[in-house]
Amino acid sequence: MKLNTYEQEMLSGKHGEAKRVAMKILSRMGEIYGAEEMISVESAHIDGCSYSAVWDAGLDFAEKMEKLGGQVAVPTSLNITSRDIREWEKFQVPVGFAKKCERMENAYINMGCIPTWTCSPYQYGNVPRFGTHIAWAESNAVNYANSILGARTERYGDLIDLCCALVGRAPYMGLHKTENRAAKVVYDISQIPMKYLEDPSAFAVLGYLVGKDVKEEIPAVVGAESFVGKEHLKAFSAASAASGSVGMFHVIGCTPEARTLKEATQGKEDTRNVAVDEEMYWHAYEE
């Protein structure tokens, strides 16, 4: 990868051991994915702060980076922790488990992360601007940021998210790049009766249906522009990221990079088209 002067200094250890380790990991990751350079990011969201998601390896990594003097370089929010911080004893959480959660929480807070403890940082102050590059983890948060806010983040996994936060950089690849944000599959939901679609829960069903079908590709939805609101979009975001590996979607006439279908597909004509009928909807609902 081509690194600028500051990035090379971080990789050489000039700006501390924590940044050196983080930059080494990100550089190797970028090489594996074919990235040619790094980009600056304006914020980060950490998913690896949940002990039950990463267990002792993740705790060791967080505490090591803290011990090495790690401090986040950009505003960094935190996903859920794995206990009720104030009343974990009432929920009969084992003491040993709670103590490891507490160590994890403290390590991230000591590195300068904001203790938001939410999967929805976009509702709690971490709201990136349209077109800005960020380094977020957590499936729903990534999907929401790319699709509804128009920010740009790849689907970063646990511990990589911390590396990005520590150096304020990410490999320039994936959904950071305009050409990778085009819709590949178009779902027409105009056959679904409006009495169902006006309820945001219907968009959880549709998100499940679309995510399961589209898997890793970027979907576009047509037929929703007259009524859809942010709760519809949030429900679709969470469900499509859970049933598939969706990191971005377009709703024509609603999301910021989809004022028209042509804009969402970037003019490409090789899209797959799916007409979602009522039978498909109820099948997804029952699942």
Side-chain angles (χ1 to χ4, degrees):
M1 293 185 70
K2 181 181 179 181
L3 303 181
N4 65 27
T5 300
Y6 180 58
E7 292 160 355
Q8 290 173 346
E9 289 178 352
M10 286 193 285
L11 185 59
S12 70
K14 186 174 181 179
H15 297 280
E17 185 64 9
K19 289 186 186 297
R20 185 194 69 78
V21 173
M23 183 56 74
K24 180 180 179 182
I25 292 171
L26 292 176
S27 296
R28 181 64 181 132
M29 175 186 171
E31 291 170 356
I32 290 171
Y33 281 90
E36 296 179 356
E37 60 183 336
M38 295 282 182
I39 52 168
S40 298
V41 296
E42 293 197 5
S43 74
H45 179 67
I46 304 291
D47 184 57
C49 57
S50 176
Y51 176 70
S52 61
V54 291
W55 300 103
D56 286 345
L59 175 58
D60 291 345
F61 186 77
E63 290 187 328
K64 176 176 181 177
M65 297 304 259
E66 178 199 8
K67 186 176 180 180
L68 293 176
Q71 287 290 302
V72 296
V74 294
T76 302
S77 52
L78 293 174
N79 213 56
I80 61 165
T81 183
S82 296
R83 62 168 188 155
D84 184 305
I85 293 174
R86 296 187 181 92
E87 301 188 81
W88 58 269
E89 292 174 298
K90 292 184 179 180
F91 292 94
Q92 301 180 30
V93 174
V95 174
F97 182 88
K99 292 300 182 183
K100 287 187 175 181
C101 291
E102 182 179 27
R103 285 168 55 191
M104 180 82 85
E105 294 153 10
N106 288 336
Y108 279 99
I109 291 172
N110 291 341
M111 285 187 282
C113 299
I114 306 166
T116 47
W117 309 127
T118 178
C119 302
S120 305
Y122 47 82
Q123 292 187 319
Y124 199 63
N126 191 356
V127 187
R129 296 170 296 146
F130 175 81
T132 57
H133 293 282
I134 59 177
W136 281 22
E138 205 283 327
S139 58
N140 153 68
V142 167
N143 208 8
Y144 192 101
N146 277 318
S147 310
I148 300 163
L149 301 179
R152 298 191 170 200
T153 179
E154 185 48 45
R155 299 173 62 252
Y156 291 106
D158 296 340
L159 312 184
I160 289 292
D161 48 13
L162 176 58
C163 292
C164 292
L166 289 171
V167 299
R169 298 289 194 276
Y172 186 45
M173 63 184 202
L175 294 172
H176 288 289
K177 306 181 80 170
T178 298
E179 60 267 30
N180 295 329
R181 297 170 71 86
K184 299 291 182 63
V185 187
V186 179
Y187 295 85
D188 185 347
I189 64 170
S190 60
Q191 296 182 45
I192 308 299
M194 185 64 67
K195 62 182 178 180
Y196 303 139
L197 295 179
E198 289 176 339
D199 187 334
S201 66
F203 273 71
V205 176
L206 290 169
Y208 173 84
L209 185 159
V210 168
K212 187 176 180 182
D213 179 67
V214 79
K215 298 182 175 62
E216 295 182 348
E217 293 184 310
I218 295 178
V221 176
V222 298
E225 57 270 21
S226 63
F227 62 88
V228 72
K230 68 177 183 179
E231 291 303 317
H232 298 86
L233 295 173
K234 180 183 176 184
F236 188 94
S237 174
S240 61
S243 63
S245 297
V246 179
M248 182 178 183
F249 63 90
H250 301 282
V251 178
I252 308 307
C254 300
T255 52
E257 295 175 55
R259 291 169 294 182
T260 64
L261 181 59
K262 184 175 181 180
E263 182 180 43
T265 62
Q266 296 181 16
K268 298 173 183 176
E269 298 181 353
D270 58 345
T271 56
R272 177 165 64 92
N273 296 287
V274 179
V276 181
D277 58 27
E278 195 169 347
E279 181 180 355
M280 294 168 64
Y281 174 86
W282 285 113
H283 180 72
Y285 179 92
E286 291 299 327
E287 282 197 353

